[in-house]
C-alpha cells in the first residue's frame, strides 16, 4: 500500500462521479479541473459512485463495471495523480452504506423528495413515477459519501449544490443530536464545539453548468449531448458544428449569451481573442458561426490532446488491470479514513460496542 506523504495533515476534499458513462467537458469545467488543481494542496478522495449507478441502471451491471473503469481512465488522463490522490470505490467502503442508514433517519422524507436536483433528474431522465425506491436514496447516500471523509471542500458542478446543502444539514444535525452541539453554532465552528463533521462547502467550477451541444440542457452523460474527454478531433468538430444558434448570416448581430459563446468563453484560452470574437459577433462584423465553431473545436482538441496522450498508457486489458490496482490501493486508504469516521459516529450514537477491522484483498 502506498500512502501519500503527510496525507492526513492536509485538509480533505471529497468529490466523485457516477459511472453512468464516460466523462465530458461539463465535468472538466464544473469539477475535474478544480480537482486536478487542488490535489497538490489537499488530501483528495475521488469517489466512484457505482452503487448510485445501480439506482437507474440496476439491470446493466456489465455497463456499470465498464464505466467505473473508464471513468478512472478519464481521471488519470485529465491529470489526477493516483500517487497523490485517492480513488475510492463506493461499493467497497461499507462505512458509507452504514452511515447512509443513520443519515436517512436525520432527514425528513419530504425534505429529500423536495430536493430540486432530484426533481430535475426525474424529469430530464424521464423517470416518471417508475423510479426505484433506491433512486431518491442516492441523495441521502451522497451525504454519507461526503461525510465519511469529513472534508472541508466538495468541488462540484452547479446542479450538485442542492445535494451539498442537504449534506450540510445532516452534518449539523448529527452533531446537535448525538454530540450536544448547540444549534446556534456557526458553521466553521462545529468541530471546535465538539461536533464530528466539519460543515463542508461546495466549490463550483469556473463554469457551473456547461450547456450540451443541443444548446438547451446541461451537458450530461445520459442525454446524448456531450463532448467526451476521449473524443478525437473529428468527433469534436462534428459535435461543435451541431451547436444551434439560430443566426442566419455572418453580418447579422449575434447574441454573445448563446450556447456557442459559452463554449468560446470556456475553451478559448486567450482572453483578448475571446473579447475580439465577442465584439465582432455582437456587431455582425462579418464573422460566421462556422468560423467560430472551427476555432472552438480546435481549442477543445488542444485541451484534450495531452489527456489522450496520458490515456494511451491505460489501453486494453493490461490498462484495465492497472486501473483496478489504482482503485484497490485507493479504496484501502479510503477505508482507513471512513472506518474511523464510522467508529466515531457509532461511539457518539451509543453503538460503540466493540472495534472491527476491514481488509482489502487482491482481486481474484
Ligand atoms: P448523469 O447524466 O448520469 O447524471 P452527469 O453528466 O450529470 O451524469 P454526474 O456524474 O452526475 O454527471 O456529475 C459529476 C460531477 O460533474 C458533478 O459535480 C456535476 O455537478 C458535474 N457536472 C456534470 N455535468 C456538468 C455540466 N454540464 N456542467 C458543469 N458541471 C457538470
Ligand atoms: Mg448528474
Amino acid at each position: 500500500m502506498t500512502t501519500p506523504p503527510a496525507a492526513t495533515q492536509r485538509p480533505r476534499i471529497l468529490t466523485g462521479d457516477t459511472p453512468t458513462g464516460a466523462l465530458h467537458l461539463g465535468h472538466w469545467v464544473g469539477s475535474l479541473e478544480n480537482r486536478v488543481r487542488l490535489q497538490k494542496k489537499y488530501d483528495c478522495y475521488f469517489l466512484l459512485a457505482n452503487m448510485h449507478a445501480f439506482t437507474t441502471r440496476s439491470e446493466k451491471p456489465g455497463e456499470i463495471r465498464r464505466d467505473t473503469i473508464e471513468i478512472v481512465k478519464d481521471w488519470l488522463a485529465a491529470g489526477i495523480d493516483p500517487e497523490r490522490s485517492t480513488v475510492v470505490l463506493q461499493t467497497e467502503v461499507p462505512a458509507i452504506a452504514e452511515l447512509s442508514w443513520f443519515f436517512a433517519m436525520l432527514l425528513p422524507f419530504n425534505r429529500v423528495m423536495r430536493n430540486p436536483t432530484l426533481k430535475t433528474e426525474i424529469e430530464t431522465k424521464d423517470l416518471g413515477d417508475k423510479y426505484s425506491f433506491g433512486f431518491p436514496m442516492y441523495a441521502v447516500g451522497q451525504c454519507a459519501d461526503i461525510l465519511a471523509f469529513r472534508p472541508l471542500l466538495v468541488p462540484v458542478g452547479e446542479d450538485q449544490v442542492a445535494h451539498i446543502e442537504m449534506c450540510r444539514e445532516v452534518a449539523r444535525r448529527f452533531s446537535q443530536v448525538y454530540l450536544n452541539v448547540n444549534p446556534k453554532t456557526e458553521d466553521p465552528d462545529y468541530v471546535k464545539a465538539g461536533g464530528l463533521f466539519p460543515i463542508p462547502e461546495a466549490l463550483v467550477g469556473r463554469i457551473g453548468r456547461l450547456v450540451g451541444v443541443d444548446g438547451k440542457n446541461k451537458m450530461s452523460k445520459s442525454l446524448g449531448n456531450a463532448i467526451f474527454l476521449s473524443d478525437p478531433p473529428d468527433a469534436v468538430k462534428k459535435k461543435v458544428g451541431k451547436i444551434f444558434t439560430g443566426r442566419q448570416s455572418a453580418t447579422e448581430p449575434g447574441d454573445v449569451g448563446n450556447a456557442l459563446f459559452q463554449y468560446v468563453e470556456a475553451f478559448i484560452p486567450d482572453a483578448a481573442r475571446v473579447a475580439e470574437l465577442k465584439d465582432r459577433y455582437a456587431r455582425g462584423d462579418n464573422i460566421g458561426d462556422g468560423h467560430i465553431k472551427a476555432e472552438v473545436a480546435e481549442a477543445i482538441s488542444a485541451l484534450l490532446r495531452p489527456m489522450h496522450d496520458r490515456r494511451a498508457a491505460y489501453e486494453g486489458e493490461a490498462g484495465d488491470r492497472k486501473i483496478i490496482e489504482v482503485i484497490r490501493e485507493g479504496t484501502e486508504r479510503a477505508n482507513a479514513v471512513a472506518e474511523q469516521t464510522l467508529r466515531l459516529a457509532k461511539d457518539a450514537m451509543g453503538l460503540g460496542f466493540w472495534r472491527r477491522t476491514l481488509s482489502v484483498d487482491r482481486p481474484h
Side-chain angles (χ1 to χ4, degrees):
M1 184 174 119
T2 47
T3 307
T8 48
Q9 265 93 55
R10 288 177 290 160
R12 289 193 199 118
I13 280 184
L14 176 289
T15 189
D17 300 306
T18 320
T20 44
L23 297 190
H24 52 66
L25 290 175
H27 296 109
W28 174 254
V29 293
S31 170
L32 201 46
E33 187 182 35
N34 265 340
R35 301 180 204 177
V36 171
R37 185 170 60 84
L38 294 169
Q39 62 182 339
K40 296 190 183 75
K41 228 171 96 196
Y42 289 83
D43 184 16
C44 293
Y45 293 80
F46 300 128
L47 183 95
L48 296 156
N50 60 337
M51 192 181 286
H52 295 180
F54 277 83
T55 66
T56 53
R57 298 203 303 176
S58 57
E59 74 293 356
K60 293 181 178 150
E63 283 182 20
I64 296 174
R65 187 185 171 93
R66 189 69 250 149
D67 288 338
T68 302
I69 292 171
E70 289 303 315
I71 282 190
V72 181
K73 291 188 186 181
D74 281 336
W75 286 351
L76 302 188
I80 299 293
D81 174 0
E83 295 292 317
R84 212 180 254 286
S85 299
T86 301
V87 173
V88 188
L89 185 63
Q90 191 181 41
T91 46
E92 292 305 320
V93 181
I96 291 175
E98 293 176 58
L99 287 170
S100 301
W101 262 94
F102 295 123
F103 292 165
M105 261 65 86
L106 297 178
L107 283 164
F109 179 76
N110 290 330
R111 166 72 182 90
V112 178
M113 299 313 291
R114 270 201 319 268
N115 180 312
T117 302
L118 272 189
K119 282 188 176 169
T120 313
E121 272 186 289
I122 289 167
E123 254 171 57
T124 54
K125 295 179 185 171
D126 211 12
L127 301 176
D129 57 4
K130 289 190 281 292
Y131 54 84
S132 64
F133 185 76
F135 177 71
M137 257 306 278
Y138 102 75
V140 180
Q142 197 174 309
C143 301
D145 295 335
I146 297 170
L147 296 180
F149 295 91
R150 287 171 282 150
L152 294 185
L153 280 184
V154 190
V156 283
E158 207 171 83
D159 64 310
Q160 290 293 315
V161 172
H163 283 332
I164 309 301
E165 197 43 52
M166 213 163 79
C167 171
R168 289 157 57 82
E169 283 171 35
V170 169
R172 291 187 200 102
R173 186 129 183 82
F174 185 97
S175 295
Q176 289 165 14
V177 173
Y178 298 115
L179 292 160
N180 294 318
V181 171
N182 185 334
K184 294 204 175 89
T185 304
E186 298 285 331
D187 284 344
D189 298 334
Y190 260 77
V191 173
K192 227 184 331 166
L196 175 53
F197 306 107
I199 311 302
E201 282 191 34
L203 178 75
V204 177
R206 77 191 151 93
I207 308 240
R209 180 188 181 278
L210 183 71
V211 71
V213 294
D214 57 4
K216 281 201 303 269
N217 293 301
K218 174 183 94 88
M219 184 178 283
S220 167
K221 320 183 199 100
S222 326
L223 297 179
N225 63 0
I227 298 176
F228 295 104
L229 300 184
S230 53
D231 276 345
D234 53 340
V236 171
K237 211 163 158 188
K238 212 158 141 198
K239 288 181 180 179
V240 171
K242 278 196 206 147
I243 300 171
F244 180 74
T245 66
R247 187 163 172 258
Q248 305 293 338
S249 81
T251 50
E252 181 186 320
D255 173 12
V256 292
N258 69 17
L260 179 58
F261 265 81
Q262 197 192 26
Y263 283 69
V264 168
E265 298 213 30
F267 300 110
I268 296 187
D270 177 355
R273 181 64 184 152
V274 172
E276 185 188 350
L277 287 175
K278 274 169 108 169
D279 175 57
R280 288 186 59 192
Y281 196 78
R283 289 191 288 109
D285 180 19
N286 199 24
I287 185 145
D289 282 22
H291 176 89
I292 292 175
K293 286 177 178 178
E295 243 178 89
V296 167
E298 179 45 48
I300 291 173
S301 288
L303 168 73
L304 300 184
R305 205 166 296 129
M307 298 191 195
H308 296 175
D309 293 346
R310 278 193 291 265
R311 207 175 207 281
Y314 302 101
E315 294 276 287
E317 268 182 44
D320 285 6
R321 276 195 298 278
K322 281 191 221 167
I323 294 292
I324 290 171
E325 188 51 21
V326 166
I327 301 175
R328 193 191 66 79
E329 281 187 1
T331 302
E332 191 168 2
R333 292 205 289 268
N335 266 315
V337 178
E339 281 292 303
Q340 192 193 26
T341 304
L342 181 69
R343 196 173 72 221
L344 293 167
K346 282 183 166 174
D347 285 349
M349 298 171 82
L351 297 169
F353 291 106
W354 52 76
R355 304 302 189 213
R356 75 174 185 204
T357 47
L358 281 183
S359 64
V360 176
D361 289 343
R362 305 226 157 238
H364 41 262

